[in-house]
Amino acid sequence: MSKVPGLLGALGAGLTRMGERLDERRVETEARADADAGLDGAARPARSDDSAVAAAVPSQAPVAGPSQVPAPGPAQAPAEVVSQVPAAVPSQEPAATGAEEATASARQVAPDHVPAPPAYAPAVAARPDPVAAVPWGMRVAAEIGWRLLVLAGTLWVLMRVISAVRLVVLAFVAALFITALLQPTVSRLTRRGLPRGLATAVTAILGFIVMGLIGWFVVWQVMDNLDTLSDKVRAGIEELKRWLLNSPFHVTEDQINQVAKNLSDTIGHNTNEITSAGLQGVTVLVEVLTGILLAMFSTLFLLYDGKNIWHWVLRLVPEQARPAMEGAGPRAWRTLTAYVRGTVIVALIDAIFIGLGIYFLHVPMAVPLAVFIFLFAFIPLVGAVISGALAVVVALVTEGVFTAVMVLAVVLLVQQIEGHVLQPFILGRAVRVHPLAVVLSVAAGGLIGGIGGSVVAVPLVAVTNTVVGYLRATAKENALRAAEGPPEP
């Protein structure tokens, strides 16, 4: 009986080692199960090892429980206990070795694999895709926004380039307008058998001579009537002074003399600025002459070789967009031609009838005023107001209030007939631009390019409208053809 406590101590130590090995095997089994979840190739050997471990664990379950150990008798208890302990402990080593090999093989197959969380871990919702988290409307607005920014940057750079070479651009645009006006004459002479070079030379020379004669006549009329106009202006100022003295505004002669003195002092103190303005005027005159020469040469080449120039421009366009641009070009040119010819006819009618009204009302410089009315008619809406106001002011200063009112009535009558009868009839549907677009384009053109920008703005908008409409219709037609498929043989 003195050996029983020692045997029981050995049995307890053996059971403790068995529990530690069982815990190690459980950890290894869980790791191997995690590896099997990501790799099917490594799962099959692991499952066979699991079955071996599962078969081994129940065989040792009676040893693990203390209640399963029989109570030793007087003679046979020590022998039975000793026989059970060595039989139970060595049975753990082969299974543990197999689990370690399976775990090592799984780690070799998937060294970078992160094991999934255990089943008892709390469920964590996956983070959504950032693109899917942004609302649809905001995504559409962002897509449109950056494209608009790119277009705005492109337009800004284009405007900067145009401002740097504004003289060249305005000269070329003037050449386009003159070409649109003179090209029908060149085509008519060419159809009658005249060589194209000779037809171009005759048309251009005659056109430039006519424009030069008109300019010379205007300058001659202004210089011839300058003295008369100066006397009429002085008389008008004196009449205005008398009217102010007798008016209900209670203006005194001292106040009028003080205003005149202030004007004289201002002119005297700003002599340097006036001189620099005169020098700047000389520079402007040189630029104007340079622009006229550029416009003349550009007109000659456009009249003679316009088709080849257009084909060269088409070669700069990408090949996929070339057919659409090739169809849009002639339509844009027809729109520009219709606009220029219609505007010239309307401006000529305005100048003739308003000039006749001014002439019969005995307003001085009726012919120069009529020419100014003709030129300002190329600026839609705004030009008519400026030229009409100039005629009314000249009539007021030279002939008095009644004549000025009559001139205003004539100007308004002719402009109303022009706006409601002549323009819809002459221009027709070739130039379809909303009045709001006309006003905004004239204002923007004036801010960017001055008077030249105001003249160019409306035809540019009309041509752009025609080109965009044609391209949109072409794209829709191509989409319908693609949807229908190729024609059946």
Side-chain angles (χ1 to χ4, degrees), residues 339 343 346-347 350-351 354 358 369-393 407-408 410-419 423 438 442 454-455:
Y339 175 82
T343 304
V346 171
D350 285 351
I354 295 177
I358 293 173
L369 287 174
V371 174
F372 278 114
I373 291 170
F374 173 80
L375 295 177
F376 276 94
F378 284 91
I379 305 176
L381 300 179
V382 180
V385 175
I386 295 175
S387 60
L390 179 62
V392 171
V393 169
V407 171
L408 179 61
V410 171
V411 170
L412 291 178
L413 178 62
V414 174
Q415 289 182 357
Q416 290 298 316
I417 295 174
E418 169 212 334
Q423 282 191 354
V438 172
V442 169
S454 300
V455 174

Side-chain angles (χ1 to χ4, degrees), residues 147-159:
R147 286 175 172 83
L148 289 178
L149 288 176
V150 171
L151 289 177
T154 304
L155 289 177
W156 183 81
V157 173
L158 183 61
M159 290 297 103

Side-chain angles (χ1 to χ4, degrees), residues 380-469:
L381 300 179
V382 180
V385 175
I386 295 175
S387 60
L390 179 62
V392 171
V393 169
V394 172
L396 176 64
V397 173
T398 57
E399 298 297 330
V401 178
F402 177 76
T403 305
V405 172
M406 295 303 296
V407 171
L408 179 61
V410 171
V411 170
L412 291 178
L413 178 62
V414 174
Q415 289 182 357
Q416 290 298 316
I417 295 174
E418 169 212 334
H420 294 86
V421 178
L422 295 179
Q423 282 191 354
F425 178 74
I426 295 174
L427 295 179
R429 298 177 61 85
V431 182
R432 293 175 291 181
V433 181
H434 196 274
L436 179 60
V438 172
V439 174
L440 294 178
S441 61
V442 169
L447 291 175
I448 295 172
I451 297 177
S454 300
V455 174
V456 174
V458 176
L460 179 61
V461 171
V463 169
T464 304
N465 185 29
T466 301
V467 172
V468 171

Side-chain angles (χ1 to χ4, degrees), residues 26-117:
R26 181 177 56 81
V27 173
E28 292 173 355
T29 303
E30 290 177 354
R32 187 167 60 253
D34 294 337
D36 292 342
L39 297 174
D40 294 338
R44 296 172 183 174
R47 286 171 185 168
S48 62
D49 293 337
D50 291 340
S51 61
V53 173
V57 171
S59 63
Q60 297 180 14
V63 180
S67 61
Q68 301 294 332
V69 180
Q76 62 182 2
E80 291 177 357
V81 171
V82 173
S83 63
Q84 288 179 1
V85 171
V89 173
S91 63
Q92 306 293 330
E93 296 177 357
T97 304
E100 292 176 356
E101 292 177 355
T103 304
S105 62
R107 289 176 180 176
Q108 291 177 359
V109 175
D112 297 333
H113 177 69
V114 179

Side-chain angles (χ1 to χ4, degrees), residues 337-356:
T337 304
Y339 175 82
V340 173
R341 296 176 65 183
T343 304
V344 167
I345 295 173
V346 171
L348 188 61
I349 293 173
D350 285 351
I352 291 174
F353 284 98
I354 295 177
L356 288 175

Side-chain angles (χ1 to χ4, degrees), residues 255-270:
Q255 292 175 341
I256 296 175
N257 293 332
Q258 184 64 34
V259 171
K261 185 176 180 301
N262 292 335
L263 289 175
S264 178
D265 293 340
T266 302
I267 294 174
H269 289 124
N270 296 326

Side-chain angles (χ1 to χ4, degrees), residues 10-267:
L11 179 61
L15 292 176
T16 301
R17 289 193 297 272
M18 288 174 59
E20 292 174 355
R21 291 182 180 181
L22 286 174
D23 291 337
E24 292 176 357
R25 289 175 58 192
R26 181 177 56 81
V27 173
E28 292 173 355
T29 303
E30 290 177 354
R32 187 167 60 253
D34 294 337
D36 292 342
L39 297 174
D40 294 338
R44 296 172 183 174
R47 286 171 185 168
S48 62
D49 293 337
D50 291 340
S51 61
V53 173
V57 171
S59 63
Q60 297 180 14
V63 180
S67 61
Q68 301 294 332
V69 180
Q76 62 182 2
E80 291 177 357
V81 171
V82 173
S83 63
Q84 288 179 1
V85 171
V89 173
S91 63
Q92 306 293 330
E93 296 177 357
T97 304
E100 292 176 356
E101 292 177 355
T103 304
S105 62
R107 289 176 180 176
Q108 291 177 359
V109 175
D112 297 333
H113 177 69
V114 179
Y120 56 81
V124 179
R127 293 183 179 180
D129 188 5
V131 177
V134 179
W136 173 256
M138 188 175 295
R139 277 188 281 173
V140 172
E143 293 286 339
I144 296 174
W146 74 260
R147 286 175 172 83
L148 289 178
L149 288 176
V150 171
L151 289 177
T154 304
L155 289 177
W156 183 81
V157 173
L158 183 61
M159 290 297 103
R160 297 287 293 181
V161 172
I162 291 175
S163 299
V165 292
R166 182 171 57 182
L167 177 63
V168 178
V169 173
L170 291 179
F172 184 73
V173 171
L176 284 177
F177 286 175
I178 299 173
T179 303
L181 185 63
L182 299 180
Q183 189 185 25
T185 305
V186 175
S187 301
R188 192 175 295 110
L189 293 176
T190 304
R191 285 195 300 267
R192 291 187 178 182
L194 203 65
R196 187 167 185 83
L198 184 58
T200 301
V202 170
T203 304
I205 291 172
L206 290 178
F208 292 143
I209 288 175
V210 170
M211 288 185 287
L213 288 176
I214 292 175
W216 170 80
F217 183 73
V218 170
V219 174
W220 173 63
Q221 286 290 317
V222 171
M223 297 302 295
D224 188 48
N225 294 281
L226 189 60
D227 295 335
T228 304
L229 180 62
S230 178
D231 296 337
K232 292 289 185 68
V233 168
R234 291 193 186 96
I237 291 174
E238 291 296 330
E239 184 178 355
L240 180 61
K241 180 179 177 180
R242 289 193 298 270
W243 182 80
L244 289 174
L245 291 174
N246 298 323
S247 66
F249 298 107
H250 303 290
V251 179
T252 62
E253 188 172 359
D254 293 336
Q255 292 175 341
I256 296 175
N257 293 332
Q258 184 64 34
V259 171
K261 185 176 180 301
N262 292 335
L263 289 175
S264 178
D265 293 340
T266 302
I267 294 174

